[in-house]
Amino acid sequence: MNKLKILLLTISLQLISIGFSFAYCNFEIAGMGSNINDLKAKVPSLYIPIGTDNQLTEIKIPAHKICGDPLYKDFTILYEYINSKLVRIRLIDRDVVVNHLENLNYHFGESKQKNNISYGVNYYYWDLSFREAFLNIETSPSGEIIMASVEIMISDYANQIREYMPEDE
């Protein structure tokens, strides 16, 4: 009888802990500044266009190929390369079921800058050693999350991308 109680208690605690688990996803599966082939090694089915040297290249990957949790099925992660080196990771989630703030806090620690407002755009920023991460969460007046966007980029992204943008006239 005592063993049955222990077994039931153990099973109950496991079921409760499953409800509290959170699926985290590391969007930065290839490190900033890494070669485009590092991403290919992580996602073998990935198509990489020929001739990606000396140019700006964007590679789109469905999030579920990187994140094992089914909550990540409805958006695409964009990996941006300049001269075959990863300079930015970007995603826009328009059907927000994932807690992106909790996910980024798990990977990068507490954000350095926050702009929490009752509705509108909440802004979060992480200043990481040679890269930065941004999270914008747009909410309605009722508090519903409308959209979330995540960007992780090298600190020198603005200078590097200028080389590939047309001059203003």
Side-chain angles (χ1 to χ4, degrees):
M1 186 69 169
N2 210 11
K3 289 183 182 181
L4 182 60
K5 286 181 182 179
I6 292 172
L7 180 64
L8 288 174
L9 179 62
T10 303
I11 291 171
S12 298
L13 289 174
Q14 287 178 342
L15 289 174
I16 290 170
S17 69
I18 289 171
F20 291 121
S21 67
F22 181 82
Y24 296 110
C25 181
N26 182 9
F27 305 123
E28 198 176 355
I29 60 169
M32 283 295 147
S34 66
N35 188 284
I36 201 165
N37 292 320
D38 291 347
L39 185 63
K40 174 75 173 161
K42 304 281 181 166
V43 186
S45 63
L46 183 65
Y47 167 75
I48 296 178
I50 297 174
T52 56
D53 292 337
N54 300 320
Q55 65 180 356
L56 176 66
T57 305
E58 293 181 341
I59 298 174
K60 296 178 182 179
I61 302 175
H64 72 272
K65 289 192 175 203
I66 294 165
C67 312
D69 190 287
L71 291 177
Y72 291 89
K73 69 180 176 9
D74 290 332
F75 56 88
T76 299
I77 303 172
L78 183 107
Y79 292 82
E80 189 174 309
Y81 288 81
I82 295 177
N83 299 329
S84 294
K85 301 292 182 192
L86 181 60
V87 294
R88 181 168 75 157
I89 300 168
R90 182 172 41 127
L91 68 95
I92 296 174
D93 186 358
R94 297 188 191 284
D95 184 27
V96 183
V97 294
V98 174
N99 186 333
H100 292 289
L101 178 59
E102 188 171 330
N103 184 44
L104 293 173
N105 280 339
Y106 175 80
H107 288 289
F108 302 136
E110 213 44 49
S111 66
K112 303 283 184 229
Q113 184 175 351
K114 302 174 189 176
N115 176 26
N116 286 323
I117 55 177
S118 58
Y119 75 92
V121 178
N122 290 309
Y123 170 83
Y124 302 89
Y125 170 72
W126 290 263
D127 184 10
L128 309 164
S129 59
F130 61 93
R131 64 199 195 291
E132 301 167 311
F134 302 89
L135 169 64
N136 293 312
I137 301 173
E138 186 177 341
T139 57
S140 69
S142 67
E144 175 190 7
I145 297 176
I146 300 168
M147 183 191 91
S149 66
V150 175
E151 289 197 41
I152 305 165
M153 64 185 70
I154 61 171
S155 298
D156 194 33
Y157 176 78
N159 290 329
Q160 288 197 26
I161 197 67
R162 277 189 197 109
E163 294 178 26
Y164 295 91
M165 303 306 269
E167 293 285 327
D168 290 340
E169 296 187 51

